[in-house]
Amino acid sequence: MSEKTIPVLPCRTLRPVLDFYAALGFETTFQQRSPHPYAVVERGGIQLHFFGMKRYEPAESFSTCCIRTDDVDGLYEAFRAGLKEAYGRVPARGLPRIGPLKDTSHGVRQFLVTDPGGNCLRIGQPTGRDQHHRPAPGEPFSRALHHASLFADSKEDPAGAAKIIDRALRTGTGDGRPTPVQLFRLLVLRADVAGRLGDEATAASALVRAGAVRLTARERESVRDDLERFEELRAPGDTPRDPGGA
């Protein structure tokens, strides 16, 4: 026997969704207008089906599917390049958007893509056999990063992530000070979730503060994913300084 699971996802209208997936390198292999709007897109071993709903609200969608790949870094770069060519930038907030590539606490290196219909694709590559979440670190700033990342991405709760980061930075003097790497990662994530919440002032402030953090070459290598996200989040016309060497 051979089985295959294919997600069927909603959208308000097909055209913006099909154009978005075309930018990601997908081919529309089927489309109909009646008796109801329906389409299929494919890229390699990925096949997604979509149906139109006039009263559907993309911003309120909870539709999600998981995609496993053996080259998550390559797929991420290909998607980013396609989006930049199609949109003139890499959309990091609103709809559509692409999230950061990162190593999760449950043994998967992944990123999230949300299409114009509000459907979220969790695209990942296992980095280990144990898919259970690791326990939160004991050190306060590492613990804050752990929980804030879970809220921001796994739970899709940017407001919860913002509260965790703000509390960690606000109480930093009592628990010691974060390392430059911890501070940079916290600030980039704070800018990320602020953008998702439409809080542009906080996002810009966090990016400026992140740009002022001094990192050594070794530290920059250890936060490579966060540095890439930092560059993506910089709004056109803003010039927060790139974290430099010590």
Side-chain angles (χ1 to χ4, degrees):
M1 296 178 66
S2 177
E3 292 80 25
K4 184 176 183 179
T5 299
I6 299 174
V8 182
L9 305 170
C11 60
R12 183 179 294 166
T13 57
L14 290 175
R15 179 44 52 194
V17 171
L18 299 183
D19 289 345
F20 174 77
Y21 282 96
L24 298 183
F26 284 76
E27 177 186 0
T28 300
T29 56
F30 176 81
Q31 184 176 357
Q32 70 175 28
R33 291 181 175 83
S34 64
H36 57 273
Y38 198 94
V40 177
V41 299
E42 298 185 54
R43 186 188 197 280
I46 307 172
Q47 183 178 131
L48 304 172
H49 292 211
F50 297 93
F51 63 97
M53 294 178 61
K54 290 183 179 180
R55 298 180 182 177
Y56 175 72
E57 180 49 61
E60 298 177 2
S61 173
F62 290 95
S63 298
T64 304
C65 71
C66 293
I67 297 172
R68 286 290 178 259
T69 175
D70 58 5
D71 185 13
V72 70
D73 287 78
L75 203 55
Y76 184 66
E77 289 304 318
F79 281 11
R80 288 177 69 251
L83 291 173
K84 188 172 184 179
E85 181 177 352
Y87 292 87
R89 61 185 178 85
V90 179
R93 59 190 68 169
L95 293 176
R97 65 179 179 269
I98 184 169
L101 176 63
K102 61 174 63 177
D103 295 310
T104 70
S105 63
H106 55 280
V108 176
R109 182 165 173 78
Q110 74 171 17
F111 65 97
L112 276 57
V113 175
T114 305
D115 66 26
N119 303 296
C120 178
L121 310 183
R122 295 177 177 270
I123 303 172
Q125 179 176 0
T127 56
R129 293 185 177 181
D130 185 1
Q131 302 296 295
H132 294 88
H133 281 282
R134 296 189 299 272
E139 194 278 325
F141 298 105
S142 296
R143 185 170 64 249
L145 276 167
H146 173 91
H147 287 303
S149 294
L150 286 177
F151 271 75
D153 297 320
S154 293
K155 294 186 176 182
E156 288 278 293
D157 182 0
K163 290 179 181 179
I164 293 170
I165 297 169
D166 288 344
R167 184 166 57 246
L169 295 177
R170 187 169 55 248
T171 61
T173 54
D175 290 328
R177 294 185 179 275
T179 67
V181 164
Q182 290 172 330
L183 180 59
F184 180 74
R185 294 188 64 201
L186 284 166
L187 289 170
V188 171
L189 185 54
R190 186 63 181 90
D192 193 343
V193 297
R196 298 188 211 177
L197 293 168
D199 185 354
E200 300 300 334
T202 298
S205 174
L207 287 174
V208 170
R209 291 178 64 190
V213 177
R214 307 300 292 177
L215 299 173
T216 67
R218 179 174 294 182
E219 287 170 338
R220 287 173 63 87
E221 180 61 27
S222 72
V223 294
R224 182 176 53 186
D225 292 339
D226 303 273
L227 278 166
E228 190 169 279
R229 191 59 170 174
F230 172 79
E231 294 294 342
E232 289 178 352
L233 292 171
R234 294 213 263 185
D238 289 347
T239 55
R241 190 177 67 225
D242 186 8

